[in-house]
Amino acid sequence: MAVATKKPSVLSKSALAKVDQIIARHKDQPGPLLPVLHALQAEFKYLPEEALVRVAIGLDIPLSKIYGVASFYTLFNLRPKAEHVIRACESAPCHVRGAKEVIEALENALGVKVGEDTRDGRFTLELSSCIGVCGVAPAIMIDDEVFGNLTPDMVPGILARFN
Amino acid sequence: MATVTLTIDNQKVEIEESATILDAAKKAGIKIPTLCYLEDINEIGACRVCVVEVRGAKALQAACVAPVANGMIVSTNSPAVRSSRRLTVELLLSNHPTDCLVCPRNLNCELQALAENLGIREVRFEGAKPSWPVDESTPSIVRNPAKCVLCRRCVAVCEKVQGVKAIAPIERGFDTVIAPAFGHEMIDAACALCGQCTLVCPTAALTEHDSTAQTWAALADPKKHVIVQTAPATRVAVGEMFGYEPGTIVTGKMVAALRRLGFDRVFDTDFTADLTIMEEGTELLERVSHGGVLPMITSCSPGWIKFIEHYYPHLLPHLSTCKSPQQMFGALAKTYYAEKAGINPKDIVSVSIMPCTAKKFELTRPEMEDSGFRDVDIVLTTRELGRMFKQAGLDFTNLPEEPYDDPFGITTGAAVIFGATGGVMEAALRTAYEVKTGKTLGNINFTGVRGLEGVKEATVPVDGIDVKVAVAHGLGNARKLLDKLAAGQADHHFIEIMCCPGGCIGGGGQPIPTNTEIRQKRINGIYAADERMAIRKSHENPAVQALYKEFLGQPLGHKSHELLHTHYTPRGKYPKTDK
């Protein structure tokens, strides 16, 4: 199945006003950047380029630095994602407990490669750094939900819960 | 200051307590290898090449950031240290391209030198190689992330010295790349194109855009009349590429070498530096007497111009409307010179030798065609010129010293000091004082505006007015002055700003290495060159006087406005998003 990557759209006037509100809300707290980025993502599901430029102006932080932070954390989306985002942990504990096979099972079940969206816009498949549940490795997150102690044959059943 | 005594490789060293192990080792005559370290600019202990063994410490310490302590016992050359450094460098090499033989930094690459000094003869690891595209979007700087070792020296110089912050590390881990926000190309970033990043890059991840092939082609074309101009700062630097001490004045040999490359005429940008003083000095007097926008700020430095266009566009009316000496030269070469020499300007190829990467951008600015043609066709940095001399097989050290050609070869000491921070100001003061008062200056050396202090201020009494001047070099220092100006706290008449630390002698196109010590030596060379000149004031340049008489009329006259003055373009901080 081919990829359907959504193109970022230009923000409406009301969306830009929303961005300014978010900046104003966090501007005066120490270390405002991460809270602002979280709030933007909660609002738009990703971090639109125009919004980040407004953050640069509003917080007086260089745009290059803001993008450096936004791109450093895998939990920030830099483009619009599908309805559900699957994050498969690729850290060492998950790796030695069979993450590779689980990721292959995800790719087969979804018909996409890592980094791609399913054509129907239901799932984005991504890799993630450690999600902090090494005790139940290998693990994945779908949106905010964690699934651990996985084997490849469990994958279709888990995906079915989101259909 | 309190000192401590420590032992490094069995030698006792006494040093101030704020020092690092690297400082102490240097004092003891021990050279610890470094890679990411850049004195005062990038001290982050990231690359681990400088590790040393400290007795009692659990792990090896990065000497560039580890503070000294009393009684500390350090080994810089133990088996554990050697093995760790080798491993680190082998890992760096595991994903580094191995095309050294055809790399622009071959034989002047810090990674290559490290591998050699550590005696690495094989790389035990074969890593995946990142496949980033080469960014050739600007006419000035080429960014090749495949050769990047992620030392962050470029990021540090861009942020801390220049205050531009155009590039940063983006993504993480193996995917990390140094790039503008959103991974945009450099042309879409609010970058001054100063090239300081190319000076500090240890490898060829950031280099100047190479124009040597284009120049060779022009020189080989019998239908073309190829002329060249050389910027003040190049004559005290190009010798470094042939073993001369930094700051050695090699003007005559450079002229001889250029002639041997096949240039039809070898001219000097110093000529139009003198002309700049006539135009800019007159403009300043105009502004002072007619209530024009003050302070007036110099406009010679194209990196500085691009910076103010991006970051302080509301202050553009403060800029002098004078073109830079390079562009004045270009406009005159294809008009006055073409007419005088009886050459069709369309057959002229105008090349300039500059210490600067931003000059390559400047020549492409759409307005720079007042001669009816592209005023300047090719800019070569000092580094590219040195390479062309080598390609031509010139025995540079044994060349005779030759003079420049007329008419653009007659110059003054006031023009050569344009190459150092404070030089334009000093040249302007020499002329402004004498023209305004009609008196001869007793002492023409305005030493208050010389030297490497970031922002210099002086007050000079001229004809009953206390003329207040300020000089800044490096864009970080420029910011300090501009912020004062924007806040209404700058009561100067005239401000000189140069984009690069030290002025043009520290330009982004100068030989590598360029550091504070080398900058100071080149500055010394510049003032020595000034002392050697028979004429040291721009208004006394007979060729400039003849130019006004024969062609231009008077400073700020109709022809001057047409050919020698320009306008600026507000660009904004977020050029891509604003588009």
Side-chain angles (χ1 to χ4, degrees):
Chain A
M1 215 202 286
V3 201
T5 306
K6 287 186 203 166
K7 280 258 180 286
S9 55
V10 174
L11 295 184
S12 67
K13 267 211 170 93
S14 64
L16 289 175
K18 196 84 204 171
V19 174
D20 291 341
Q21 278 171 26
I22 288 170
I23 295 167
R25 204 187 310 145
H26 296 283
K27 199 174 164 32
D28 296 318
Q29 77 187 69
L33 180 57
L34 283 177
V36 166
L37 295 183
H38 279 299
L40 287 174
Q41 179 148 309
E43 180 67 32
F44 300 104
K45 312 282 177 235
Y46 79 108
L47 302 175
E49 187 169 322
E50 290 161 280
L52 294 186
V53 168
R54 274 185 126 75
V55 174
I57 298 166
L59 299 182
D60 195 22
I61 297 175
L63 189 58
S64 58
K65 203 161 256 188
I66 290 174
Y67 189 78
V69 170
S71 63
F72 181 85
Y73 294 107
T74 46
L75 288 177
F76 286 131
N77 299 327
L78 293 164
R79 61 176 179 88
K81 297 286 165 77
E83 195 179 334
H84 302 289
V85 179
I86 305 172
R87 294 188 170 90
C89 178
E90 58 166 341
S91 295
C94 283
H95 181 79
V96 297
R97 298 267 295 156
K100 193 166 164 252
E101 289 72 23
V102 172
I103 292 164
E104 275 168 13
L106 284 164
E107 288 182 332
N108 289 335
L110 298 168
V112 297
K113 293 281 173 206
V114 166
E116 295 176 351
D117 301 349
T118 57
R119 181 167 284 217
D120 60 9
R122 300 277 292 156
F123 293 102
T124 296
L125 177 60
E126 291 186 340
L127 298 181
S128 168
S129 307
C130 184
I131 54 176
V133 291
C134 309
V136 294
I140 65 171
M141 277 178 84
I142 301 183
D143 302 330
D144 294 332
E145 209 175 329
V146 174
F147 300 87
N149 287 323
L150 295 179
T151 54
D153 56 330
M154 293 163 73
V155 164
I158 293 171
L159 292 180
R161 295 175 45 180
F162 292 84
N163 276 322
Chain B
M1 188 186 278
T3 63
V4 299
T5 302
L6 65 160
T7 308
I8 305 183
D9 298 345
N10 301 318
Q11 287 186 65
K12 287 251 187 286
V13 189
E14 190 186 348
I15 194 159
E16 60 270 27
E17 59 182 1
S18 60
T20 63
I21 296 177
L22 185 67
D23 300 326
K26 196 175 170 193
K27 197 173 174 196
I30 296 162
K31 189 172 185 258
I32 294 175
T34 58
L35 182 61
C36 69
Y37 174 79
L38 203 58
E39 194 177 355
D40 296 333
I41 297 169
N42 202 43
E43 300 177 346
I44 58 174
C47 75
R48 318 311 286 180
V49 165
C50 68
V51 288
V52 294
E53 204 168 343
V54 177
R55 190 178 291 176
K58 268 194 269 179
L60 298 179
Q61 305 287 306
C64 70
V65 288
V68 291
N70 213 16
M72 190 181 239
I73 297 172
V74 179
S75 170
T76 75
N77 191 27
S78 69
V81 166
R82 280 203 304 275
S83 141
S84 171
R85 287 179 187 162
R86 288 177 66 109
L87 180 63
T88 299
V89 174
E90 276 186 78
L91 286 168
L92 283 170
L93 293 173
S94 72
N95 71 344
H96 194 85
T98 51
D99 59 351
C100 298
L101 285 177
V102 293
C103 176
R105 289 292 296 273
N106 188 28
L107 301 179
N108 188 13
C109 166
E110 291 183 40
L111 185 61
Q112 196 181 46
L114 262 181
E116 168 59 19
N117 291 341
L118 296 175
I120 293 171
R121 288 291 175 266
E122 63 163 341
V123 177
R124 291 168 286 170
F125 319 107
E126 179 65 38
K129 302 224 189 311
S131 54
W132 302 104
V134 177
D135 177 357
E136 294 185 278
S137 60
T138 80
S140 299
I141 295 170
V142 177
R143 200 174 58 86
N144 184 355
K147 297 203 168 175
C148 176
V149 294
L150 299 172
C151 68
R152 290 155 171 77
R153 280 159 46 161
C154 55
V155 178
V157 85
C158 189
E159 176 173 350
K160 291 189 196 161
V161 177
Q162 297 298 63
V164 170
K165 304 160 194 165
I167 48 175
I170 65 174
E171 306 291 341
R172 72 191 284 167
F174 187 74
D175 296 323
T176 308
V177 62
I178 308 297
F182 308 106
H184 286 161
E185 292 187 310
M186 299 279 281
I187 196 75
D188 292 319
C191 165
L193 299 175
C194 70
Q196 288 299 311
C197 56
T198 68
L199 283 182
V200 299
C201 181
T203 69
L206 287 157
T207 54
E208 68 285 352
H209 186 106
D210 187 291
S211 305
T212 56
Q214 197 191 349
T215 311
W216 284 124
L219 289 168
D221 185 342
K223 293 190 290 293
K224 296 294 182 193
H225 180 78
V226 190
I227 61 171
V228 65
Q229 56 170 315
T230 64
T234 57
R235 67 204 66 201
V236 293
V238 72
E240 291 163 37
M241 295 179 76
F242 300 91
Y244 286 91
E245 261 296 290
T248 309
I249 305 163
V250 294
T251 319
K253 286 185 190 295
M254 178 172 73
V255 171
L258 284 163
R259 229 166 246 141
R260 278 150 188 75
L261 292 184
F263 285 100
D264 294 296
R265 290 288 182 279
V266 183
F267 293 133
D268 199 351
T269 315
D270 287 18
F271 175 82
T272 37
D274 281 328
L275 188 61
T276 299
I277 290 301
M278 298 306 294
E279 292 290 329
E280 204 163 82
T282 312
E283 185 185 359
L284 178 65
L285 294 175
E286 274 284 309
R287 287 196 190 202
V288 171
S289 54
H290 292 96
V293 179
L294 290 175
M296 186 175 87
I297 313 180
T298 58
S299 54
C300 307
S301 165
W304 147 241
I305 297 298
K306 193 157 183 283
F307 173 81
I308 186 175
E309 289 175 334
H310 281 301
Y311 293 94
Y312 296 86
H314 58 293
L315 298 180
L316 285 173
H318 288 274
L319 283 182
S320 159
T321 60
C322 285
K323 284 182 185 173
S324 70
Q326 158 174 291
Q327 294 302 138
M328 285 195 185
F329 183 98
L332 288 174
K334 293 191 180 180
T335 53
Y336 174 70
Y337 168 72
E339 202 179 303
K340 223 172 142 85
I343 297 166
N344 187 336
K346 83 169 176 37
D347 295 328
I348 295 179
V349 178
S350 183
V351 179
S352 37
I353 313 299
M354 293 285 144
C356 183
T357 50
K359 287 277 171 200
K360 289 173 180 273
F361 169 80
E362 185 183 36
L363 85 82
T364 69
R365 295 177 67 109
E367 64 273 21
M368 294 299 175
E369 49 180 27
D370 290 328
S371 63
F373 303 86
R374 191 91 320 245
D375 292 335
V376 174
D377 296 294
I378 303 172
V379 168
L380 295 170
T381 59
T382 314
R383 296 197 287 273
E384 290 165 273
L385 181 66
R387 291 207 293 270
M388 286 185 77
F389 289 165
K390 286 179 184 173
Q391 286 167 29
L394 295 179
D395 181 5
F396 189 81
T397 45
N398 287 317
L399 284 174
E401 306 213 353
E402 293 182 8
Y404 285 101
D405 289 309
D406 289 340
F408 297 156
I410 298 167
T411 64
T412 74
V416 79
I417 59 175
F418 267 56
T421 167
V424 175
M425 181 59 68
E426 182 167 347
L429 289 173
R430 288 179 190 175
T431 287
Y433 181 89
E434 297 204 348
V435 169
K436 190 83 177 96
T437 63
K439 291 184 213 151
T440 304
L441 273 168
N443 176 9
I444 64 165
N445 298 319
F446 291 87
T447 50
V449 294
R450 296 184 183 180
L452 282 172
E453 197 188 322
V455 178
K456 294 164 279 188
E457 292 180 291
T459 304
V460 183
V462 179
D463 204 21
I465 304 175
D466 277 341
V467 177
K468 297 184 92 168
V469 302
V471 173
H473 58 109
L475 295 173
N477 293 320
R479 265 190 194 281
K480 291 179 197 161
L481 261 179
L482 292 176
D483 288 339
K484 267 176 117 175
L485 177 56
Q489 293 160 3
D491 59 349
H492 308 95
H493 296 92
F494 192 30
I495 295 176
E496 175 202 297
I497 294 182
M498 291 295 157
C499 174
C500 290
C504 304
I505 52 87
Q510 290 285 63
I512 297 168
T514 290
N515 53 39
T516 306
E517 189 190 332
I518 292 173
R519 284 185 169 94
Q520 186 58 56
K521 288 182 176 172
R522 292 183 191 147
I523 288 173
N524 298 345
I526 284 284
Y527 289 108
D530 170 29
E531 302 266 351
R532 281 189 199 176
M533 298 298 286
I535 308 170
R536 295 179 62 196
K537 299 163 199 164
S538 297
H539 56 287
E540 292 178 355
N541 182 330
V544 169
Q545 290 166 353
L547 172 69
Y548 278 112
K549 207 165 151 203
E550 289 172 23
F551 185 71
L552 288 174
Q554 59 187 12
L556 295 190
H558 174 68
K559 265 235 160 80
S560 287
H561 267 299
E562 205 175 282
L563 293 174
L564 309 182
H565 291 258
T566 187
H567 59 270
Y568 305 104
T569 310
R571 293 175 196 274
K573 267 164 94 169
Y574 311 103
K576 175 88 169 179
T577 319
D578 294 346
K579 249 175 217 169

